[in-house]
Amino acid sequence: LQLAESGGGSVQPGGSLTLTCAVSGATFQAYTMGWFRLAPGKETEGGQPARMREAVATIDDDGNTAYADSVKGRFTLSQDGATKFLYLRMNNLKPEDTGMYLCAAGNGAITALQALSIMRDRYGADYWGKGTLVTIAS
C-alpha cells in the first residue's frame, strides 16, 4: 500500500484547506485510515522520524469516524472508495493546527476511536505517507 498526501499550504487563521491522501497498491477498505500531524520541529527524534504523532481524525472499515477534541467541529474526514482517496477538510484553521500532516493505514480490525490512540504511535500503523505541510499564520 502506498500513501501520498497533497493539499498542504499556507493560510491565514480562520481559513480552510482540504488535504488529500491518494491510496494505491490495495483497497483501503481493508484498513483503518487516519490523519495525524507533527508540530514544527517535532518531525524527528535523534535523526529518526518521530515515534509519536498527534491524532487528528480516523475512519474505520465500517465508515465510522473519530476526531481529536482539538479539531471536532472544524475538521471533516471523508473517503471515496471508488477513486481511493481520503480527504480531510479543515475549516476555521488556527495557528496551533500548523504542522506536517501524515496519512496512515492500520489494522482494519480496530475501530476509528481505538485508532486515535493506537495509530498515533508510528509503529501502530502499517503504512505512512511522507506528509504535507500546513502552515497557519497571519
Side-chain angles (χ1 to χ4, degrees):
L1 196 68
Q2 292 82 46
L3 308 174
E5 303 93 334
S6 62
S10 181
V11 298
Q12 295 185 336
S16 298
L17 282 172
T18 297
L19 305 184
T20 299
C21 175
V23 182
S24 61
T27 176
F28 66 61
Q29 279 87 352
Y31 296 88
T32 293
M33 305 289 296
W35 287 95
F36 298 80
R37 66 188 180 193
L38 289 163
K42 300 288 183 66
E43 295 89 350
T44 60
E45 295 170 345
Q48 298 296 319
R51 176 168 179 172
M52 302 306 293
R53 290 95 197 267
E54 179 185 2
V56 176
T58 55
I59 185 167
D60 59 33
D61 61 357
D62 289 328
N64 302 306
T65 55
Y67 297 89
D69 288 343
S70 60
V71 306
K72 280 180 182 176
R74 300 188 297 123
F75 290 14
T76 303
L77 188 153
S78 61
Q79 66 183 15
D80 185 332
T83 56
K84 298 170 71 171
F85 287 110
L86 188 72
Y87 303 102
L88 185 69
R89 175 64 178 176
M90 306 186 296
N91 294 324
N92 190 22
L93 283 160
K94 304 177 180 181
E96 52 264 41
D97 294 319
T98 293
M100 182 67 73
Y101 282 69
L102 304 161
C103 180
N107 187 338
I110 61 174
T111 67
L113 187 59
Q114 291 171 329
L116 287 177
S117 57
I118 292 173
M119 289 174 58
R120 65 183 293 265
D121 185 326
R122 176 185 166 202
Y123 299 107
D126 297 327
Y127 301 95
W128 290 93
K130 295 184 183 301
T132 185
L133 183 62
V134 172
T135 303
I136 314 303
S138 298

